[in-house]
Amino acid sequence: MSKERARLRAARQAELERERARRARTVARRQRRRALLRRLTPRLPDRRTGRMLARRSRGERAGIVILTLCAVAAIVLLVDDMALRIALILLMLLVLPAVVVIALGRRT
């Protein structure tokens, strides 16, 4: 009877060892794959610099610049008086950060 139990225990242990080895191979393969993906994936720079434009995505910054340039072009084309042009452009640049925060939301 004890020989039979020993044989069954040995078979169970061999099966457990095969299962552990299979699991270890799976984990090692997963770790290698993750390491490869980590090496191949470009790292984004840390954009938390405290500056206004650094908190925005590239698309948001492009939109801000394009709309600002369109507004400046409209002021230059539609306003004849040079002093009024300069005053409106300066006022727009002064109000621009508040408009960006209101339109795009504050990020923390």
Side-chain angles (χ1 to χ4, degrees), residues 35-48:
L36 176 66
L37 283 175
R38 222 175 293 126
R39 279 194 309 257
L40 294 178
T41 304
R43 306 288 274 167
L44 292 176
D46 187 18
R47 292 187 176 165
R48 292 175 289 160

Side-chain angles (χ1 to χ4, degrees), residues 62-78:
I64 293 167
V65 169
I66 289 171
L67 289 177
T68 303
L69 291 177
C70 288
V72 168
I75 290 171
V76 168
L77 293 175
L78 298 176

Side-chain angles (χ1 to χ4, degrees), residues 23-89:
R23 197 173 306 136
R25 284 192 307 270
T26 305
V27 169
R29 187 180 321 124
R30 189 178 306 134
Q31 286 175 344
R32 284 194 309 267
R33 190 179 314 130
R34 285 182 183 165
L36 176 66
L37 283 175
R38 222 175 293 126
R39 279 194 309 257
L40 294 178
T41 304
R43 306 288 274 167
L44 292 176
D46 187 18
R47 292 187 176 165
R48 292 175 289 160
T49 61
R51 298 181 64 203
M52 180 181 83
L53 292 178
R55 294 185 202 148
R56 307 283 170 209
S57 71
R58 185 174 291 153
E60 289 173 336
R61 285 183 292 194
I64 293 167
V65 169
I66 289 171
L67 289 177
T68 303
L69 291 177
C70 288
V72 168
I75 290 171
V76 168
L77 293 175
L78 298 176
V79 177
D80 292 330
D81 187 26
M82 182 59 78
L84 185 57
R85 279 185 193 173
I86 293 173
L88 286 175
I89 291 173

Side-chain angles (χ1 to χ4, degrees), residues 50-57 60-61 63-65 67-68 92-108:
R51 298 181 64 203
M52 180 181 83
L53 292 178
R55 294 185 202 148
R56 307 283 170 209
S57 71
E60 289 173 336
R61 285 183 292 194
I64 293 167
V65 169
L67 289 177
T68 303
M92 183 193 60
L93 292 177
L94 182 69
V95 175
L96 180 65
V99 171
V100 168
V101 168
I102 291 170
L104 298 177
R106 181 180 297 271
R107 302 250 173 95
T108 56

